[in-house]
Amino acid sequence: MGYIVYILFSEKHNKTYVGLTSSLIQRFKSHNELATKGYTIKFRPWKVIYLEVYNSKTEAMTREKWFKTSTFNYKNHILFPNS
C-alpha cells in the first residue's frame, strides 16, 4: 500500500491544501463533493496540483509536515515553475 502526500489548489479562492491519504481518488472526491464540514468545503472546487508517493506512512507524514511548516515557498514553485 502506498501513501500519497498531495497538494490541492482552489483557483477560485487562490488557496492550497496539503494532505495525506492512501486513496487519492476517494479523498479527492471527499474534498470536492462528499464532505459536509471542514476547511476544504469552503474553498471548492479543488484540483490536484502535486503529489508524491511513499511506501512508508512515517515518511509520508514527515513530508506532509514539511509542506505544512516549511518556510520554503513551495506554492509558487509548484504553481509557477518557470517564474
Side-chain angles (χ1 to χ4, degrees):
M1 173 189 298
Y3 297 93
I4 303 163
V5 176
Y6 60 92
I7 300 175
L8 303 179
F9 180 66
S10 170
E11 255 181 288
K12 183 177 179 181
H13 300 282
N14 196 32
K15 297 283 184 186
T16 57
Y17 176 84
V18 176
L20 166 67
T21 188
S22 59
S23 178
L24 185 60
I25 293 170
Q26 285 180 297
R27 191 69 180 123
F28 183 69
K29 190 172 184 178
S30 176
H31 285 305
N32 271 321
E33 299 171 18
L34 302 177
T36 58
K37 59 183 176 179
Y39 176 82
T40 61
I41 68 162
K42 296 181 263 185
F43 304 110
R44 290 175 177 161
W46 294 97
K47 64 181 179 179
V48 177
I49 59 166
Y50 186 77
L51 62 88
E52 295 177 354
V53 180
Y54 294 89
N55 292 321
S56 155
K57 187 174 184 179
T58 303
E59 288 177 309
M61 290 171 69
T62 299
R63 185 63 164 162
E64 177 191 30
K65 184 175 181 177
W66 181 86
F67 277 117
K68 289 182 173 182
T69 62
S70 178
T71 57
F72 173 69
N73 191 349
Y74 70 86
K75 295 172 189 175
N76 282 339
H77 185 72
I78 291 169
L79 291 171
F80 311 107
N82 297 322
S83 297

